[in-house]
Amino acid sequence: MVSLKKLSIGILLTAVFLLPACSSAQISDILKQVSTNPSTAEISSGIKEALEKGTGISAERLSLENGYLGNLDVKILFPEEAKNVESTLRSLGLGSMCDQVITSLNRAAEDAAIAAKPIFTDAIKQMSFQDVQQILLGEKNAATVYFKGNTTTSLSQKFSPIIDTSLKKVDATKYWSDVMTRYNKVPFVKKVDTDLTAYVTQKAIDGLFVEIAKEELKIRENITARTSPLLQKVFGYAEREKSGK
């Protein structure tokens, strides 16, 4: 990847060598292009500003009531191994019992979501300029991939005790126990053993990354999402680089 410094020097040298063949307007355009390219410090600040904003919005949105429950992209449903439990109980007219379980699982995730903000902030602070460049000029989900690789373990450690406490607070463990007790009374069914805390923790983290990916795509593709001159400059530069202009 060509560094900004080398790119700027190259453009300037081109302008000098082509000076006799270029009009003053053309030379002005070339020099303007160089001057509008962000410095390495601006790129670093711009990307970190964008990531701080995107991760903060995602965590705050999911921490609201129905942040998970009301969002079909991240709503936590019965564990895969318990799908038969749900379908069996609903067929027996016990749908409300299943709904109580689903609501309580999502409430626990909503309780934990806001705790992600300082973890993302720490990951952003630790970024090298190489990380920043790879995110800026990488794929449309480059930042999301970065966070998955650098925060998943910390998120899991942070979320797990919060979700465990919340599951008890919102009676999720009681509802789950009621569901499983009722299900296990059905003849010839296979018993299901699910670690609710581990399951909800993982699904809550998955949901965070879904929302972060949405915010990342928004700022890459929607100019109006670039709410500061710095963001406009940095992402405008990225667009020019990717298009080869």
Side-chain angles (χ1 to χ4, degrees), residues 68 108-109 111-120 147-165 167 195-209:
Y68 279 87
D111 278 349
I114 200 66
K117 285 185 70 173
I119 293 173
F120 289 133
F147 283 121
K148 282 184 179 180
N150 289 274
T151 66
T152 296
T153 298
S154 296
L155 287 170
S156 182
Q157 292 170 347
K158 186 74 172 181
F159 275 27
S160 185
I162 296 173
I163 285 174
D164 188 59
T165 298
L167 287 172
D195 182 336
L196 270 192
T197 298
Y199 171 69
V200 176
T201 296
Q202 185 58 56
K203 297 300 288 185
I205 292 170
D206 291 345
L208 264 173
F209 291 134

Side-chain angles (χ1 to χ4, degrees), residues 36 38 42-43 45-51 132 135-137 139-140 143 215-223 225-242:
T36 56
E42 286 176 319
I43 288 178
S45 296
I47 285 296
K48 290 181 179 182
E49 178 185 331
L51 296 178
V132 167
I135 288 172
L136 179 63
L137 301 178
E139 298 297 325
K140 293 181 178 180
E215 291 301 317
E216 179 177 7
L217 190 62
K218 185 187 301 181
I219 200 166
R220 287 187 188 275
E221 297 189 343
N222 187 350
I223 294 176
R226 302 167 192 171
T227 53
S228 73
L230 179 58
L231 292 181
Q232 292 164 15
K233 185 175 185 178
V234 169
F235 283 94
Y237 160 74
E239 288 174 349
R240 294 194 300 274
E241 283 291 283
K242 290 180 180 181

Side-chain angles (χ1 to χ4, degrees), residues 85-95 97-98 179 182-183:
V85 175
E86 181 180 12
S87 60
T88 299
L89 293 181
R90 288 191 186 279
S91 70
L92 295 173
L94 299 172
M97 183 180 286
C98 295
V179 161
R182 185 65 183 82
Y183 176 73

Side-chain angles (χ1 to χ4, degrees), residues 6-16 30-31 33-34 37:
K6 290 181 179 178
L7 178 64
S8 299
I9 291 173
I11 294 174
L12 286 171
L13 288 175
T14 300
V16 171
I30 293 172
L31 295 176
Q33 179 67 35
V34 175
N37 282 342

Side-chain angles (χ1 to χ4, degrees), residues 65-137:
E65 184 174 347
N66 297 325
Y68 279 87
L69 186 64
N71 183 339
L72 293 181
D73 291 333
V74 300
K75 183 178 180 179
I76 301 173
L77 303 175
F78 268 63
E80 194 61 38
E81 68 272 16
K83 290 295 185 183
N84 286 337
V85 175
E86 181 180 12
S87 60
T88 299
L89 293 181
R90 288 191 186 279
S91 70
L92 295 173
L94 299 172
S96 61
M97 183 180 286
C98 295
D99 292 338
Q100 285 178 323
V101 169
I102 291 171
T103 297
S104 63
L105 299 183
N106 285 275
R107 292 288 181 256
E110 290 158 11
D111 278 349
I114 200 66
K117 285 185 70 173
I119 293 173
F120 289 133
T121 297
D122 287 343
I124 292 167
K125 288 178 179 177
Q126 293 170 18
M127 282 180 174
S128 66
F129 184 67
Q130 183 178 6
D131 293 328
V132 167
Q133 276 189 311
Q134 288 174 345
I135 288 172
L136 179 63
L137 301 178

